Amino acid sequence: MADNYDVIVIGSGPGGYIAAIRAAQLGLKTAVVEREHLAGICSNWGCIPTKALLRSAEVLHLAEHAMNYGLKLEGSISPDLKAIVERSRGIAQRMNGGVGFLMKKNKVDVIWGEAKLTKPGQIVVSKSSKKPMEPQAPLPKNTLGEGTYSAKHIIVATGARPRALPGIEPDGKLIWTYFEAMVPPEMPKSLLVMGSGAIGIEFASFYRTMGVEVTVVEVMPAVMPVEDAEISAFAKKQFEKQGMKIHLEAKVTKVEKGANSVTAHVEMKDGKIEKITADRMISAVGVQGNIENIGLEALGVKTDRGCIVIDGYGKTNVSGIYAIGDVAGPPMLAHKAEHEAVICVEKIAGLPNVHPMDKLKIPGCTYCNPQVASVGLTEAKAKAEGKDIRVGRFPFVANGKAIALGEDQGMVKTIFDKKTGQLLGAHLVGAEVTELIQGFVVAMNLETTEEELMHTIFPHPTISETMKESVLDAYGRALNA
């Protein structure tokens, strides 16, 4: 007998578990299928545990520079790798258990195993081939197992996995993905990072702060190539001041593995090949959607470049089947998945005034040192679209709070439509800008103009004052620069 639901969600990552909770809140009988770990990659192997590692690196950096703040530390300070990793994994377990609690609280059934779509409205769940993460929080008591389940609406939220380049596939020992990079058995002395997107540059930042010699190879002409060029260039200079070696417009063409090291053949911008040897290498060349072996082909669900094709509400081309999160395409961000989940479920439930996703209002954050955050159009993109713009900039070096914190290396950049005053984009680099960016996201969502931002009172002394000064600068009215 098939167990009948209104909604079944395949995958319990940020998109999946939020979709399940929202569906249950709206009175829909809901189940979520998970094959490996509740809370998905984000909480177990991505967003959260990496921030725990980066926090340890930040504290180490502050301790090493205590004299800059008039403090003396007796004796030496050094990282305890085992304790750092254990702290990170403990936080992951806590998040994992938290999602289990939320499933129980919202009366969402958890089905443990691997799901496959057999026809619209039906899935078959088999025993999982994946080993649960360690440590694994206890599963909620409402956990079900193998069998056939049916639902009027099935949401695919199967996430993504690290992309591998042919001939340079990660082996888990010498060439790592973010999985291995998060739990190193010992600290390497040198590290080569292939790719300078958010994942690559965050690990480069962590390991460099830990004292590792770090080399970054990026095929594009800028680090964090999706960011505004000016912000990217500023960040690159800071990374190099910290001792990182960065090669742009370069690519790894071949890898030779030694007993305990790896040598990469790197084709440089001028076409010459340079051999770079490091203890370990991280492959951070992006991720790809988990679309295989879940029955999409048999049902005729349309895919494109490794992702499921959806409309603005998560609908696929097959009635009753939806997709959200990383598996539904870029930007592959947890908060995008969560918002997409709510849109999808509220549309299923028939709520009025459900708005489709506006990808221009999705913020992006990179938690390196210095942090980088952005929303909306870059200056280059705005110009490419033929917009007549005003651009404002304000440096942290002119901000009292940043100076007092010893964090005066940063800047805020804002882009406005010259005719309407519409905020088109905001781009930040510096301390805690991943927290500041939300102010601009809210402003864009409320369709705030430059005049309204200028008349907003920002508290003093705060780093957030740089946000207002950047707006003022766009209109030739900056007060502190």
Side-chain angles (χ1 to χ4, degrees):
M1 289 291 291
D3 285 324
N4 297 310
Y5 293 91
D6 296 309
V7 174
I8 290 178
V9 185
I10 303 175
S12 72
Y17 86 76
I18 290 296
I21 290 172
R22 187 66 184 126
Q25 287 176 343
L26 293 171
L28 302 173
K29 185 181 179 185
T30 306
V32 63
V33 185
E34 179 53 57
R35 67 177 184 174
E36 194 168 2
H37 37 234
L38 290 172
I41 291 295
C42 177
S43 292
N44 290 288
W45 293 100
C47 319
I48 305 302
T50 55
K51 303 312 161 284
L53 295 178
L54 287 162
R55 176 61 171 168
S56 294
E58 180 184 15
V59 173
L60 175 64
H61 175 78
L62 288 171
E64 289 176 337
H65 294 81
M67 287 298 294
N68 294 345
Y69 300 89
L71 303 173
K72 290 183 179 180
L73 288 180
E74 298 297 332
S76 62
I77 183 168
S78 60
D80 182 339
L81 181 60
K82 184 174 183 292
I84 290 171
V85 171
E86 285 180 353
R87 177 177 181 271
S88 174
R89 300 317 307 151
I91 290 169
Q93 183 186 18
R94 181 175 173 181
M95 299 299 295
N96 178 279
V99 171
F101 167 77
L102 290 172
M103 297 298 97
K104 180 180 178 181
K105 175 186 175 182
N106 289 279
K107 297 181 173 57
V108 174
D109 287 341
V110 176
I111 304 170
W112 201 256
E114 295 188 11
K116 189 167 188 177
L117 294 156
T118 50
K119 61 182 180 181
Q122 182 176 288
I123 64 169
V124 171
V125 178
S126 58
K127 185 178 180 181
S128 177
S129 61
K130 295 283 186 177
K131 181 182 177 182
M133 62 162 282
E134 297 294 342
Q136 172 73 55
L139 295 175
K141 293 181 180 179
N142 53 330
T143 301
L144 304 174
E146 302 168 55
T148 301
Y149 301 86
S150 63
K152 298 174 186 176
H153 309 280
I154 298 174
I155 302 174
V156 180
T158 48
R161 64 186 184 277
R163 185 183 301 277
L165 297 182
I168 316 176
E169 293 86 357
D171 59 10
K173 181 187 176 185
L174 297 175
I175 303 177
W176 293 344
T177 66
Y178 53 76
F179 290 103
E180 294 81 22
M182 208 169 298
V183 289
E186 58 186 21
M187 192 66 74
K189 292 182 179 179
S190 56
L191 178 70
L192 174 66
V193 180
M194 182 173 63
S196 72
I199 294 174
I201 212 68
E202 284 184 8
F203 277 114
S205 191
F206 167 74
Y207 279 99
R208 181 67 202 118
T209 305
M210 288 291 161
V212 178
E213 293 181 11
V214 174
T215 301
V216 178
V217 176
E218 171 58 56
V219 71
M220 300 296 285
V223 293
M224 296 175 288
V226 301
E227 300 295 343
D228 184 89
E230 197 170 352
I231 298 297
S232 174
F234 187 102
K236 178 177 178 287
K237 287 182 180 179
Q238 297 305 309
F239 298 149
E240 290 175 330
K241 283 182 181 179
Q242 296 163 16
M244 281 191 207
K245 296 177 182 177
I246 299 175
H247 300 289
L248 301 177
E249 296 183 82
K251 61 181 179 180
V252 178
T253 60
K254 179 183 176 182
V255 168
E256 296 174 349
K257 296 180 182 179
N260 199 31
S261 65
V262 60
T263 299
H265 294 233
V266 181
E267 183 180 328
M268 298 297 178
K269 182 180 179 179
D270 60 6
K272 294 181 180 179
I273 300 295
E274 182 176 328
K275 293 183 180 181
I276 300 175
T277 299
D279 291 345
R280 296 294 181 268
M281 174 176 168
I282 295 178
S283 176
V285 291
V287 297
Q288 61 189 80
N290 293 319
I291 63 172
E292 301 87 358
N293 304 315
I294 54 176
L296 298 176
E297 302 88 350
L299 270 63
V301 176
K302 187 177 180 181
T303 62
D304 180 43
R305 287 177 288 184
C307 297
I308 300 173
V309 177
I310 60 171
D311 67 6
Y313 301 97
K315 292 182 180 180
T316 71
N317 62 307
V318 177
S319 179
I321 299 178
Y322 311 78
I324 59 173
D326 288 0
V327 76
M332 294 179 174
L333 302 168
H335 44 279
K336 174 258 195 181
E338 292 179 356
H339 194 70
E340 215 164 29
V342 173
I343 291 172
C344 180
V345 169
E346 290 186 349
K347 191 69 172 178
I348 286 172
L351 268 61
N353 303 316
V354 179
H355 299 288
M357 175 75 76
D358 183 350
K359 292 188 177 181
L360 276 178
K361 294 175 183 173
I362 301 174
C365 297
T366 306
Y367 300 82
C368 45
N369 179 25
Q371 294 181 3
V372 174
S374 60
V375 65
L377 298 177
T378 64
E379 182 179 357
K381 183 68 174 176
K383 288 179 178 177
E385 292 186 5
K387 297 184 182 297
D388 193 10
I389 61 174
R390 286 181 178 270
V391 178
R393 302 170 181 84
F394 194 81
F396 277 29
V397 74
N399 175 262
K401 180 65 178 294
I403 294 170
L405 291 175
E407 300 283 2
D408 64 356
Q409 294 302 301
M411 68 175 290
V412 177
K413 180 177 181 178
T414 45
I415 302 163
F416 292 89
D417 186 290
K418 188 177 288 187
K419 292 180 180 179
T420 66
Q422 178 188 3
L423 177 62
L424 300 174
H427 308 275
L428 297 78
V429 56
E432 299 304 324
V433 297
T434 56
E435 298 290 342
L436 298 181
I437 190 63
Q438 192 59 23
F440 285 127
V441 178
V442 171
M444 289 181 70
N445 206 51
L446 295 177
E447 299 181 351
T448 305
T449 66
E450 93 290 350
E451 185 175 354
E452 291 163 322
L453 286 169
M454 287 179 184
H455 285 92
T456 300
I457 299 173
F458 284 70
H460 174 79
T462 63
I463 297 177
S464 70
E465 291 174 278
T466 60
M467 300 165 69
K468 181 175 180 177
E469 290 279 5
S470 177
V471 176
L472 291 168
D473 183 64
Y475 289 83
R477 293 174 54 181
L479 298 169
N480 286 283

